[in-house]
Amino acid sequence: MSFTPLEKNDQTILRPSSLRLCSGSATRSSIFALVDCNNFYVSCERVFNPKLEGRPVVVLSNNDGVVVARSEEAKALGIGMAIPFFEVRNVIQKAGVEVYSSNYTLYADLSRRVTSILTQFTPELEIYSIDEVFLNLSGFERTGLAEYARRIVQTVKKWTGIPTSIGIAPTKVLAKAANRLAKKTKGTGGVIDFTSFSDLSEPLSKIEVGDLWGVGPQSEKKLKERGIETALDLREADDKQILKLLGVVGQRIVFELRGVSCLPLGLVRQVRKSVVVSRSFGHKAEKLTELKEAVAEYASQAAERLRGERLCAGVLTVFAVTRAHGTPPQTHSESAKFPAPTDSTPELIRAAERGIEKIFRPGWPFRKTGVVLTGLVPAGEVQADLFDGANRARTRRLMQALDAVNGELGPGLLRYAATGVKQDWRMKSEHRSRRYTTRWEELLEAAAIF
């Protein structure tokens, strides 16, 4: 399918309530561009293995459980999203589908590189997810928005190898819709600019209402029961009906479809309220030593995140999930409050180990464990406690040295013995590729040909 600007016949519907609902939340002059990395996890794998181009590829979730990413070729084979791996194993084997375990270290690093490139094209952007970024392209109209966006697509592809699509519109919801069409429409260079359309009726009629940003399965069901099948139907729906069905959130989606911006660019970083690190075990864990090693590892990772964001935690909660055969999972937890908020790895490890010792029961089949840090405060605002016997200055120097070494030579090079050596409890990751960009020992090897 293809779209071209139509004759001027503006059917945008504006009502006084829209101005009250969205007043002050965004400027009318905003021009949003959503940059979406196409099949991101698969694309990351293809960057370092070009032989995967044109071949069906799937990426599995933690513990190699379900399919979380598919190439277009894999989608054509009928392999669904979030489907358990064992259900499509035969299809994958017969069709010669390439299978990879999630390599989040690699994906996160390439995501950072893509974002770094985008900052060179506009000073205002919002990182929405690992593979999606909103840009504000206001002020670039004279350059030609579509042409400017194509330069972005080409630059990201050239510098990182990651293919992207861009949707441009006066609102976020419309930008997401434009991006969806850009992925499916040939001959656009990966870009569709809704600001160049005099009437959006045709493209919006091509988008299922359930494919709109913010419309979940339950909302989709309610809308379709009332004959609202497409984005165009929703745009032209009665305000009172939508408010009754979907509330204020749904009404804002309608206003965004009408070109009234209700969702501003998130330029101010939200203050983190918690840090969570958890994983499923690769096998049923029944030994206390395995549980202690696991929570020590997760507490270490959580501590690194705290220091990376210059935060300290006042409370640590450790939890573990048990599930005997044929019974529903049960979660058990223990919490500890620190004398003073901390980002110290050894202090967090000790608290996590004490907590898991209280939870552990011989014979219980543990499936998952993790740590949650709450009561977060900026590191520079921590108030000392008279009964806190820790040498904070010495610990701070030790943590700085630890982070410096790991930052220079690779994550996990230096770690606490409490996290274990073999770590046989780790989740399954039988098909993981190398962490090419963050581990010296996993760099690509080039062979010289003479």
Side-chain angles (χ1 to χ4, degrees):
M1 60 182 173
S2 61
F3 300 111
T4 56
L6 306 178
E7 293 297 323
K8 290 190 176 181
N9 180 22
D10 191 358
Q11 298 180 13
T12 300
I13 305 170
L14 300 179
R15 294 187 175 89
S17 60
S18 68
L19 301 180
R20 292 197 299 271
L21 237 173
C22 303
S23 177
S25 61
T27 62
R28 283 180 173 254
S29 61
S30 296
I31 297 178
F32 298 95
L34 176 66
V35 182
D36 190 357
C37 300
N38 302 338
N39 303 321
F40 182 56
Y41 292 174
V42 171
S43 295
C44 290
E45 300 294 348
R46 284 175 166 170
V47 167
F48 295 95
N49 189 355
K51 292 181 180 179
L52 297 177
E53 289 290 345
R55 300 186 61 181
V57 182
V58 298
V59 177
L60 305 178
S61 66
N62 290 338
N63 237 10
D64 292 346
V66 301
V67 175
V68 295
R70 305 156 294 160
S71 67
E72 295 301 322
E73 297 80 7
K75 294 176 185 177
L77 293 172
I79 299 175
M81 187 68 164
I83 192 169
F85 180 43
F86 72 87
E87 291 186 11
V88 291
R89 190 187 298 272
N90 290 337
V91 175
I92 286 174
Q93 290 177 346
K94 289 180 180 179
V97 179
E98 297 287 343
V99 178
Y100 286 86
S101 302
S102 294
N103 189 345
Y104 295 119
T105 302
L106 175 66
Y107 307 156
D109 187 61
L110 287 177
S111 175
R112 285 191 291 269
R113 296 181 186 215
V114 170
T115 302
S116 177
I117 293 170
L118 297 179
T119 60
Q120 300 181 37
F121 286 90
T122 177
E124 297 184 359
L125 55 79
E126 173 191 350
I127 301 173
Y128 180 66
S129 67
I130 192 172
D131 61 347
E132 293 179 292
V133 179
F134 281 105
L135 311 179
N136 182 5
L137 295 187
S138 299
F140 294 94
E141 293 87 342
R142 292 185 179 180
T143 306
L145 294 177
E147 187 58 35
Y148 193 62
R150 290 188 187 97
R151 282 174 51 194
I152 296 175
V153 170
Q154 294 164 4
T155 303
V156 172
K157 176 66 174 176
K158 182 178 180 180
W159 292 4
T160 68
I162 302 295
T164 57
S165 298
I166 300 180
I168 305 170
T171 72
K172 279 186 170 181
V173 170
L174 284 174
K176 288 276 283 189
N179 185 282
R180 186 174 187 82
L181 293 177
K183 289 178 180 293
K184 298 181 177 181
T185 309
K186 296 181 179 180
T188 64
V191 175
I192 284 185
D193 176 15
F194 273 180
T195 67
S196 67
F197 286 60
S198 57
D199 180 10
L200 294 177
S201 297
E202 182 188 353
L204 292 183
S205 70
K206 305 294 184 181
I207 299 174
E208 292 286 329
V209 70
D211 292 334
L212 283 173
W213 186 37
V215 179
Q218 292 301 317
S219 297
E220 179 185 10
K221 181 180 179 181
K222 292 178 182 178
L223 292 170
K224 288 190 172 182
E225 286 175 349
R226 289 158 179 81
I228 301 174
E229 302 279 346
T230 68
L232 178 62
D233 295 336
L234 184 57
R235 187 189 77 173
E236 298 181 347
D238 179 73
D239 284 354
K240 291 182 179 179
Q241 181 187 31
I242 297 303
L243 185 60
K244 183 177 180 180
L245 283 176
L246 307 181
V248 173
V249 173
Q251 198 171 26
R252 283 179 176 151
I253 294 174
V254 174
F255 292 150
E256 288 255 328
L257 288 172
R258 295 172 183 167
V260 180
S261 182
C262 300
L263 304 170
L265 206 65
L267 299 178
V268 179
R269 188 174 184 178
Q270 297 295 315
V271 178
R272 183 190 285 272
K273 295 183 179 179
S274 65
V275 172
V276 182
V277 181
S278 68
R279 296 286 187 275
S280 297
F281 290 113
H283 59 80
K284 181 175 61 178
E286 295 182 343
K287 298 179 181 179
L288 179 59
T289 53
E290 293 179 308
L291 292 169
K292 291 179 72 173
E293 285 183 4
V295 296
E297 173 68 22
Y298 302 151
S300 298
Q301 294 179 21
E304 291 177 3
R305 293 185 189 179
L306 285 179
R307 295 193 293 271
E309 299 187 28
R310 298 183 181 180
L311 296 171
C312 289
V315 178
L316 179 144
T317 300
V318 62
F319 69 89
V321 179
T322 59
R323 185 174 186 178
H325 182 69
T327 63
Q330 295 185 4
T331 302
H332 316 270
S333 63
E334 287 287 338
S335 297
K337 185 176 182 179
F338 299 107
T342 182
D343 60 4
S344 166
T345 297
E347 194 169 1
L348 293 173
I349 287 177
R350 286 194 296 270
E353 288 182 332
R354 286 195 295 265
I356 205 66
E357 287 172 353
K358 294 179 181 179
I359 292 173
F360 177 77
R361 296 291 185 278
W364 279 10
F366 291 93
R367 302 292 184 179
K368 181 178 182 178
T369 190
V371 299
V372 182
L373 303 181
T374 53
L376 306 187
V377 297
E381 299 178 12
V382 174
Q383 294 184 356
D385 190 296
L386 291 176
F387 302 98
D388 179 18
N391 187 333
R392 298 288 170 189
R394 180 178 179 277
T395 300
R396 189 177 303 110
R397 291 194 297 271
L398 176 61
M399 294 301 99
Q400 288 174 347
L402 181 71
D403 293 340
V405 172
N406 287 337
E408 181 72 22
L409 301 179
L413 182 68
L414 293 181
R415 56 194 176 95
Y416 280 80
T419 63
V421 179
K422 293 184 178 180
Q423 297 186 335
D424 294 330
W425 43 265
R426 276 191 175 274
M427 64 181 182
K428 295 177 182 177
S429 189
E430 298 174 355
H431 309 280
R432 182 179 60 78
S433 57
R434 296 183 183 184
R435 291 158 290 189
Y436 300 101
T437 63
T438 57
R439 299 270 183 169
W440 284 107
E441 67 275 17
E442 297 183 25
L443 287 173
L444 280 175
E445 298 177 3
I449 300 178
F450 299 96

